[in-house]
Amino acid sequence: MQRILSRTRLRAGHEAEYERVHASIPPELAGRLRAAGVANWSIWRDGQDLVHLIEVEDYRAMRRALADDPVNASWQAVVNPLLEADDDYSGNDDGVPLVWTLEGQA
């Protein structure tokens, strides 16, 4: 299982709307995320900055699976206008590199 950290940034003034749409994501989207190998996806917000922790079997495979998925495309049509940069699920993104962890340390 991979743990991937990713960052996005909200457009100014869209904080409340972002939180409103994430209060309950569509059940179909949750199903597609799980089918693509996502065990958990958590998002923290600090002002306009969003930090995502994604626990997934294979991050790149998940992004490829969701790139052309119509349920994900509908969700991105809702979320992307709230963000400074759209995410179209293309490319070979690996998230933010891990520098250090206490896990496994004696």
Side-chain angles (χ1 to χ4, degrees):
M1 181 74 56
Q2 294 179 299
R3 287 185 304 172
I4 303 294
L5 184 72
S6 179
R7 295 181 304 201
T8 51
R9 187 160 170 83
L10 289 170
R11 293 180 192 272
H14 289 85
E15 298 86 352
E17 179 66 6
Y18 186 86
E19 289 187 13
R20 185 191 70 74
V21 300
H22 280 84
S24 178
I25 70 165
E28 298 95 353
L29 179 62
R32 299 296 172 94
L33 291 169
R34 292 196 192 289
V38 177
N40 185 41
W41 192 318
S42 300
I43 304 171
W44 288 263
R45 184 177 72 78
D46 182 16
Q48 290 172 254
D49 295 317
L50 301 169
V51 178
H52 308 250
L53 176 61
I54 306 155
E55 296 171 283
V56 61
E57 290 297 324
D58 182 328
Y59 183 67
R60 285 187 180 190
M62 177 270 294
R63 290 182 58 81
R64 283 191 304 270
L66 294 174
D68 296 322
D69 183 277
V71 172
N72 184 53
S74 292
W75 178 249
Q76 295 307 317
V78 170
V79 174
N80 278 337
L82 307 176
L83 303 174
E84 285 188 354
D86 290 356
D87 186 356
D88 63 3
Y89 282 69
S90 65
N92 292 321
D93 173 42
D94 286 323
V96 177
L98 177 64
V99 174
W100 180 86
T101 181
L102 180 61
E103 185 178 28
Q105 298 289 316

